[in-house]
Amino acid sequence: MNNHKFLCALAVTMMVGASVCVPVCAQHRMSLQSFFDLADQQSLRIKVSEEALKAAEERVTSAKSSLLPSVDLSMQGSYTGNAFLMSRGFSASGTTEYIVPGFGPQQVSNGKQPTPHWGNSFTAQASQVIYAGGAIRSGIEMAKLGHQLAELDVEKNRQEVRFLLTGYYFDLYKLQNQSQVIAKNIELTEKVIEQMKTRREQGTMLKNDITRYELQLQSLQLAKTQVDDAQKIIRHQIATTIHLPEGEDFEVDELLYDGFDKLTNHNEESWQQTATVNNIDIRQANLATAMSEQKVKNTRAASLPSVAVVAENNLFGPYTSDLIPKNANVNVWFVGIGVKYNLSSIWKNKHDIRKAMHENAQAREFVQLSRESIDNAVQANYTNLLTSSVEVSTQEKQVELADQNYSVVKNRYDNDLALLTDMLDASNMKLSAEMALVNARINMLYNYFKLKYITNTL
């Protein structure tokens, strides 16, 4: 086979599967869903939010425990010094009269009094709040709402990590596609240079023509290096995000275009409705509004009295409350109802209530702001999806035209009616058109996945 026929065969080979970007020697062919699954299990960002969720669960349990009775136990041992009796004029001399029930007035010498030294105290107190102005119930509701917010944080981080991986995945797919096309162009250019050098030896080719192609080869090799280095960066970012074991390599799986035309089946209204129901920012804003309402109730409760049932038993000794200490244990118990009311809250707490009400109004406005923002994002990205759909259709037409042009030039070249450079131009045009089609499809898929990310349905 002569050089012309060989180059023709090589160019035809290049045309086959330009969109295939995964080398056969890859250790792992990973789909986008497999990246998602690994991220759900191993992403540190998701794990951090899951730990926050566990803490929120404990806060709910802690808030509910406020409904349970409180029980305090205390035990104390002590050493009591000698009692010292003085007159009202602070004199240690003389006597002091005091009344002993059943015996009448008695005289006691002032000064040091015999005192039992070793003391003990055992106290048990139980109380149950029966009314706190709604503070306990609102506290529990706030904890539950906080738990729901933590759940949404987990889901939000999961959606963000998935969308991040989606961008990496499509970027890597593009780069792999470009790398293969550049490699085939390098191979073809090297063959052209070899043939041109042979022709120059025969005196039918100029040196500057060869130099031009050698410069092109250098540019292609530089582009190949840049693309390969860009792939290394993205691979490292993916491996870090999903925490692949060190040294484990992978290739992104080939994108499948089955049902590709169905990406635009849903209209904008359908996407807007999905966003209203599923978007996490909107759901978090609604929960923040509900939490601010509970905060208003909780703040108002501070201006209301609290009522509790209290029971206490106290065993202590010696008895030092009398003028003459007695070396004995005394047991005292009581049951009652306690009412506590902070009177100063009437003029102090009103500012906190107003502040809580303003925060609640702010939270309600923020819900509307979030909906407007998501509405605009859905509209813009749905428009981008339609634009990318038109781009795909345009690139498909360009591939069709490039195929036709290549067939015409190849036929002319086979009949010695076209130059080798014409054949190379037609081959490059076909390769470029097919690569542009792959990139256009990736852009359309990316816009579709971005809509799913905005609606939080990834």
Side-chain angles (χ1 to χ4, degrees):
M1 181 182 294
N2 59 35
N3 287 336
H4 289 189
K5 300 296 183 183
F6 176 80
L7 287 173
C8 243
L10 179 63
V12 172
T13 303
M14 288 176 57
M15 297 301 105
V16 180
S19 63
V20 177
C21 64
V22 181
V24 295
C25 60
Q27 293 182 357
H28 297 282
R29 294 170 63 90
M30 299 182 67
S31 66
L32 185 57
Q33 185 59 49
S34 64
F35 284 145
F36 289 170
D37 294 339
L38 283 174
D40 290 346
Q41 299 171 9
Q42 301 178 172
S43 170
L44 284 180
R45 185 171 181 177
I46 295 175
K47 287 183 178 180
V48 168
S49 58
E50 287 175 342
E51 290 299 323
L53 175 59
K54 293 177 182 177
E57 292 173 353
E58 294 300 327
R59 281 195 293 271
V60 173
T61 304
S62 177
K64 289 181 177 179
S65 66
S66 299
L67 295 172
L68 302 175
S70 298
V71 179
D72 294 323
L73 297 174
S74 66
M75 179 177 63
Q76 179 178 317
S78 62
Y79 177 85
T80 304
N82 291 318
F84 199 86
L85 185 63
M86 291 181 290
S87 68
R88 292 292 293 172
F90 299 99
S91 173
S93 61
T95 61
T96 297
E97 181 182 282
Y98 84 105
I99 298 174
V100 177
F103 295 94
Q106 301 291 321
Q107 298 294 324
V108 177
S109 298
N110 293 334
K112 185 185 298 184
Q113 305 297 318
T115 304
H117 294 297
W118 297 104
N120 55 267
S121 175
F122 304 94
T123 303
Q125 185 184 71
S127 62
Q128 172 67 62
V129 176
I130 56 178
Y131 178 75
I136 295 177
R137 291 293 179 184
S138 63
I140 294 173
E141 288 304 314
M142 288 177 68
K144 289 180 178 179
L145 292 170
H147 180 262
Q148 294 178 41
L149 282 171
E151 288 179 327
L152 290 180
D153 278 336
V154 173
E155 182 58 29
K156 186 174 184 178
N157 284 323
R158 182 178 291 114
Q159 291 287 316
E160 289 179 353
V161 169
R162 287 187 171 195
F163 186 62
L164 180 66
L165 288 171
T166 299
Y168 288 156
Y169 185 88
F170 289 147
D171 286 344
L172 188 55
Y173 192 92
K174 283 184 179 180
L175 290 171
Q176 289 181 173
N177 186 58
Q178 292 175 12
S179 180
Q180 187 183 35
V181 171
I182 292 172
K184 291 184 179 297
N185 275 276
I186 289 174
E187 183 180 357
L188 186 58
T189 302
E190 288 173 344
K191 295 297 182 182
V192 172
I193 291 174
E194 290 178 8
Q195 187 184 51
M196 293 178 75
K197 286 180 178 179
T198 301
R199 288 191 174 185
R200 186 173 185 277
E201 292 175 358
Q202 297 173 354
T204 59
M205 184 68 63
L206 298 176
K207 172 65 176 175
N208 62 338
D209 293 330
I210 299 176
T211 301
R212 183 176 60 187
Y213 277 91
E214 287 176 338
L215 290 173
Q216 179 181 341
L217 178 61
Q218 293 295 321
S219 298
L220 288 171
Q221 290 173 340
L222 175 60
K224 181 71 163 54
T225 299
Q226 291 172 334
V227 169
D228 290 345
D229 289 344
Q231 287 189 67
K232 291 179 183 177
I233 293 173
I234 294 181
R235 287 178 189 279
H236 183 268
Q237 290 171 334
I238 292 176
T240 301
T241 302
I242 61 179
H243 289 271
L244 284 178
E246 187 175 354
E248 185 172 340
D249 198 9
F250 64 90
E251 298 290 344
V252 297
D253 204 355
E254 181 179 353
L255 293 176
L256 300 177
Y257 297 128
D258 295 340
F260 193 83
D261 55 341
K262 298 179 181 178
L263 296 181
T264 56
N265 279 0
H266 298 290
N267 56 28
E268 182 183 342
E269 182 181 357
S270 174
W271 284 109
Q272 293 286 7
Q273 291 175 350
T274 302
T276 300
V277 174
N278 295 289
N279 181 265
I280 293 176
D281 288 336
I282 295 176
R283 292 160 67 188
Q284 286 182 325
N286 285 325
L287 285 175
T289 301
M291 185 174 288
S292 67
E293 292 172 354
Q294 293 299 327
K295 187 175 180 180
V296 171
K297 295 179 180 179
N298 193 276
T299 307
R300 284 175 172 166
S303 298
L304 298 174
S306 61
V307 182
V309 176
V310 181
E312 181 175 318
N313 186 78
N314 191 6
L315 173 65
F316 66 94
Y319 183 76
T320 59
S321 298
D322 203 350
L323 184 62
I324 305 299
K326 297 177 177 60
N327 191 19
N329 285 320
V330 179
N331 188 76
V332 179
W333 65 269
F334 71 86
V335 176
I337 294 179
V339 179
K340 183 179 180 181
Y341 181 61
N342 184 2
L343 191 61
S344 63
S345 65
I346 296 176
W347 58 86
K348 286 185 176 180
N349 201 40
K350 61 181 181 180
H351 301 291
D352 291 334
I353 295 175
R354 290 175 184 173
K355 176 176 174 289
M357 293 178 68
H358 286 307
E359 290 175 346
N360 177 248
Q362 179 187 15
R364 291 180 182 277
E365 294 295 336
F366 189 74
V367 171
Q368 297 302 320
L369 181 62
S370 298
R371 288 175 177 171
E372 289 178 4
S373 177
I374 298 303
D375 180 273
N376 289 335
V378 170
Q379 189 275 335
N381 284 278
Y382 182 75
T383 302
N384 290 337
L385 178 63
L386 296 181
T387 302
S388 60
S389 176
V390 174
E391 182 182 0
V392 168
S393 299
T394 302
Q395 292 299 335
E396 287 175 345
K397 184 63 176 178
Q398 290 186 359
V399 168
E400 181 182 346
L401 294 174
D403 286 342
Q404 294 175 1
N405 179 67
Y406 178 79
S407 297
V408 172
V409 174
K410 179 180 179 300
N411 183 60
R412 293 179 62 194
Y413 181 77
D414 289 341
N415 292 286
D416 296 325
L417 298 176
L419 300 175
L420 176 61
T421 53
D422 296 330
M423 186 66 185
L424 291 175
D425 289 341
S427 298
N428 287 333
M429 185 182 298
K430 181 175 175 63
L431 284 170
S432 298
E434 292 187 346
M435 186 168 67
L437 175 59
V438 172
N439 290 339
R441 286 173 170 170
I442 291 175
N443 287 335
M444 186 175 181
L445 283 172
Y446 179 79
N447 288 325
Y448 174 75
F449 276 93
K450 191 172 183 180
L451 270 174
K452 289 180 71 66
Y453 166 68
I454 292 171
T455 57
N456 294 134
T457 54
L458 263 179

